[in-house]
């Protein structure tokens, strides 16, 4: 399998190359040259199989030639056999006659990002060992990505991970999920600045190509193809459990950077009969506005009860635009050029039509989110986190055919956002047992000024 850039001007790479590169050198995102297609017989055989076995079938065509079947099997068994606390890994919970939640928060950091980052850490290990090279991961986080990336990389031999967060501006639980990881290859950095400053520091390091090559810099944000790939699996396991391929299934996905729902679109492209893909957004509703008006326009970032969806533009949307434009990289370059100059662009009519054929969208603000958490709790006793509540509200708003099962992705454990949950439901959700003592564990972190030179010097020190 070869991968091409959405902007058409970077070299084609194999799976190993895209995993270690992240963002393409032409500024684009890597996508598979073509998708594997699964027969109905193959999908039918997924029913009742362990999660790791379906993961092998789904992922194997994407990594073939770079990872042997035996190595892939061992990595998947280790990832989904031991790192997740529920035997089904991604269990379905029935909420109503034909409404379901897909719980994706049973991994080590309690959000769906563990599905991809637990596996990505193992791919990093595998490829660096093979090449005899070292890798430096650099990221900035305002929430869930940082802890999931650190958990995925902790203790790995050839990987150093540096994670920046804005000093004093992440919640205690979120900070401690990162800073209580004490392995020597993990460096938590509190930056004297805000989240945008952290992101700007990361970007400056990546744009310094000399520095980038010297330390082997790699990204773990959701533009890394391996992350999207890992997330395709749970669409197949959940759909098969509910009767696919012999019936259609719909999905609603709490969305920020468009990575998780794009994985659903890939599953559909591989032959999974998905009826609706509903984009659920909070007040940061650029995607819902785009579906309505065809105009993709940045609009500032609002802080909400569902902070992991507080984004200005959705980086993975570029992958979809590439398809909407008939995989014409020149069209993508022209859209992205307009975006960077004018902070927005208007989709061409035929591209908008294609977007609407595959996706619906709905927005839920904080009032709706709170009301939904309360309603779900009072109706069923189920405690949903705020991101999931945005999803449930959007599923309800967009579900056009009640005879088709609607699966809403439950992206975080309620205890991760305990304050908002308690305010809405009166219930103070407990952290799971493996994290019960989180607030009393030893922390390790350093503080740096908002300064690229200081950051680069600290990273060089770890080489
Ligand atoms: C990251 C995240 C999202 C958004 O996922 P994207 O792939 O960025 O669209 C939603 N909910 C939670 C809890 C998250 O951590």
């Amino acid at each position: 399998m070869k991968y091409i850039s959405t902007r058409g001007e970077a070299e084609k790479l194999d799976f190993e190359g895209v995993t270690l590169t992240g963002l393409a050198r032409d500024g684009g995102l890597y996508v598979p040259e073509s998708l594997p297609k699964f027969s109905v017989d193959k999908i039918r055989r997924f029913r009742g199989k362990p999660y790791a076995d379906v993961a092998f079938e789904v992922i194997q065509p994407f990594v073939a030639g770079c990872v042997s079947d035996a190595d892939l099997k061992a990595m998947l068994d280790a990832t989904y056999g031991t790192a997740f606390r529920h035997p089904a890994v991604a269990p379905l919970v029935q909420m109503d006659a034909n409404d379901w939640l897909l719980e994706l928060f049973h991994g080590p950091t309690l959000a769906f990002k563990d599905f991809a980052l637990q596996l990505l850490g193992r791919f990093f290990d595998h490829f660096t060992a093979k090449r005899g090279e070292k890798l430096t991961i650099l990221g900035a986080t305002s929430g869930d990505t940082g802890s999931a990336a650190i958990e995925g990389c902790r203790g790995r031999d050839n990987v150093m991970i540096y994670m920046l967060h804005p000093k004093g501006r992440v919640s205690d639980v979120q900070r401690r999920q990162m800073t209580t990881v004490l392995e020597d290859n993990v460096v938590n950095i509190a930056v004297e600045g805000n989240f945008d400053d952290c992101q700007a520091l990361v970007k400056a390091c990546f744009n310094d190509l000399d520095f980038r090559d010297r330390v082997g810099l790699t990204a773990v944000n959701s533009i890394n193809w391996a992350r999207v790939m890992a997330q395709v699996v749970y669409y197949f396991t959940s759909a098969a459990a509910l009767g696919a391929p012999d019936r259609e299934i719909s999905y609603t996905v709490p969305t920020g950077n468009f990575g998780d729902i794009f994985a659903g679109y890939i599953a559909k492209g591989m032959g999974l009969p998905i009826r609706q893909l509903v984009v659920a957004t909070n007040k940061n509703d650029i995607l819902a506005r785009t579906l309505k008006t065809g105009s993709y326009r940045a609009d500032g970032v609002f802080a909400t009860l569902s902070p992991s969806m507080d984004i200005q533009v959705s980086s993975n949307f570029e992958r979809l635009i590439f398809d909407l434009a008939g995989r014409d990289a020149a069209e993508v370059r022209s859209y992205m050029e307009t975006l960077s100059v004018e902070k927005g662009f208007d989709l061409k009519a035929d591209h908008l039509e294609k977007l609407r054929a595959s996706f619906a969208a709905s927005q839920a603000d904080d009032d709706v989110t709170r009301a939904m958490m309360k309603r779900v709790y009072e109706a069923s006793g189920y405690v949903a986190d705020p991101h999931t509540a945005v999803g449930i509200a959007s599923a309800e708003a967009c579900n056009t055919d009640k005879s088709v099962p609607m699966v809403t992705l439950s992206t975080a454990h309620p205890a991760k956002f305990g304050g908002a949950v308690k305010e809405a439901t009166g219930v103070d959700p407990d952290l799971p047992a493996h994290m019960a003592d989180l607030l009393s564990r030893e922390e390790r972190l350093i503080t740096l000024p908002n300064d690229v030179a200081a950051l680069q010097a600290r990273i060089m020190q770890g080489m």
Side-chain angles (χ1 to χ4, degrees):
M1 167 90 58
K2 287 285 183 201
Y3 293 83
I4 53 176
S5 165
T6 51
R7 304 214 185 157
E9 294 178 331
E11 63 171 327
K12 277 189 203 179
L13 294 176
D14 60 11
F15 177 73
E16 180 172 336
V18 294
T19 302
L20 297 177
T21 303
L23 192 69
R25 283 194 176 241
D26 61 1
L29 281 71
Y30 278 106
V31 289
E33 209 164 32
S34 64
L35 288 181
K37 298 272 190 254
F38 289 177
S39 68
V40 291
D41 282 343
K42 184 173 175 104
I43 297 170
R44 209 174 278 128
R45 284 197 300 272
F46 291 166
R47 280 183 206 155
K49 274 199 183 168
Y51 189 92
D53 293 4
V54 178
F56 178 81
E57 299 287 334
V58 172
I59 290 174
Q60 196 272 345
F62 291 102
V63 307
C66 289
V67 185
S68 74
D69 287 359
D71 286 340
L72 179 63
K73 218 166 186 8
M75 279 189 255
L76 292 170
D77 285 345
T79 300
Y80 300 112
T82 58
F84 287 75
R85 282 164 295 107
H86 195 293
V89 184
L92 280 161
V93 176
Q94 187 160 15
M95 301 303 285
D96 207 333
N98 230 354
D99 290 324
W100 305 77
L101 288 180
L102 181 61
E103 289 186 346
L104 301 175
F105 53 71
H106 296 284
T109 71
L110 313 183
F112 84 88
K113 292 185 172 71
D114 288 325
F115 276 83
L117 286 162
Q118 283 292 311
L119 184 59
L120 187 61
R122 289 183 168 85
F123 282 131
F124 284 156
D125 235 11
H126 185 74
F127 293 137
T128 51
K130 195 167 94 181
R131 293 177 168 208
E133 288 175 6
K134 290 205 185 292
L135 213 56
T136 301
I137 311 291
L138 176 62
T141 189
S142 58
D144 298 331
T145 303
S147 56
I150 286 172
E151 268 312 319
C153 292
R154 69 190 292 179
R156 303 206 173 276
D157 291 338
N158 303 311
V159 179
M160 282 296 295
I161 178 163
Y162 297 86
M163 191 55 64
L164 314 185
H165 68 267
K167 187 176 179 182
R169 300 192 199 205
V170 296
S171 77
D172 276 1
V173 169
Q174 287 183 323
R175 186 191 69 250
R176 285 179 158 275
Q177 279 191 302
M178 300 190 282
T179 56
T180 58
V181 176
L182 303 179
E183 273 88 348
D184 287 336
N185 74 325
V186 175
V187 182
N188 278 290
I189 302 176
V191 173
E192 289 167 334
N194 60 29
F195 177 60
D196 287 339
D197 296 329
C198 295
Q199 275 196 311
L201 286 173
V202 170
K203 216 176 233 171
C205 288
F206 274 92
N207 288 339
D208 183 343
L209 293 181
D210 184 44
F211 178 77
R212 177 171 169 172
D213 290 338
R214 201 144 36 114
V215 303
L217 214 55
T218 299
V220 284
N221 52 16
S222 66
I223 52 111
N224 194 308
W225 167 258
R227 285 187 57 180
V228 174
M229 177 190 76
Q231 292 165 192
V232 174
V233 177
Y234 45 70
Y235 288 92
F236 277 99
T237 58
S238 56
L242 293 174
D246 300 303
R247 77 200 283 213
E248 291 181 306
I249 313 290
S250 290
Y251 287 88
T252 299
V253 186
T255 294
N257 262 325
F258 204 74
D260 209 5
I261 195 164
F262 188 74
Y265 171 81
I266 294 289
K268 187 174 178 178
M270 292 168 69
L272 192 64
I274 294 180
R275 167 78 70 89
Q276 273 190 302
L277 280 169
V278 177
V279 177
T281 72
N282 61 27
K283 193 177 174 199
N284 299 285
D285 63 345
I286 182 167
L287 292 166
R289 281 184 284 119
T290 304
L291 262 142
K292 202 181 276 173
T293 65
S295 171
Y296 185 82
R297 213 151 291 279
D299 188 22
V301 185
F302 302 100
T304 72
L305 294 177
S306 43
S308 301
M309 296 154 66
D310 292 349
I311 49 91
Q312 177 147 249
V313 297
S314 300
S315 44
N316 271 292
F317 194 55
E318 180 168 339
R319 289 192 160 112
L320 182 67
I321 290 174
F322 185 57
D323 272 13
L324 300 179
R327 308 206 117 201
D328 180 345
E331 295 249 33
V332 175
R333 288 200 300 274
S334 149
Y335 277 134
M336 291 304 141
E337 178 62 25
T338 312
L339 178 65
S340 79
V341 177
E342 298 171 16
K343 297 281 170 263
F345 57 77
D346 294 318
L347 281 173
K348 293 184 177 170
D350 54 326
H351 299 166
L352 178 59
E353 199 178 313
K354 273 202 220 167
L355 173 66
R356 287 175 175 158
S358 291
F359 293 89
S362 183
Q363 189 255 57
D365 65 16
D366 279 354
D367 286 341
V368 173
T369 306
R370 263 189 227 103
M372 187 52 82
M373 283 191 277
K374 183 170 187 309
R375 202 183 94 196
V376 168
Y377 178 65
E378 285 173 354
S380 66
Y382 190 89
V383 180
D385 103 289
H387 303 78
T388 305
V390 170
I392 297 170
S394 300
E396 201 171 87
C398 293
N399 190 352
T400 46
D401 182 350
K402 284 283 179 192
S403 71
V404 177
M406 173 58 85
V407 178
T408 298
L409 271 49
S410 178
T411 51
H413 190 288
K416 209 161 178 177
F417 302 93
V421 169
K422 175 142 198 247
E423 192 198 326
T425 65
V427 178
D428 194 359
D430 286 331
L431 284 167
H434 78 287
M435 282 173 52
D437 65 342
L438 184 70
L439 295 179
S440 60
R441 286 184 202 163
E442 179 188 349
E443 285 190 86
R444 187 187 293 170
L445 73 164
I446 60 171
T447 301
L448 286 181
N450 176 20
D451 175 50
V452 184
L455 175 61
Q456 292 190 342
R458 181 59 188 81
I459 292 173
M460 288 307 297
Q461 210 181 306
M463 293 301 293

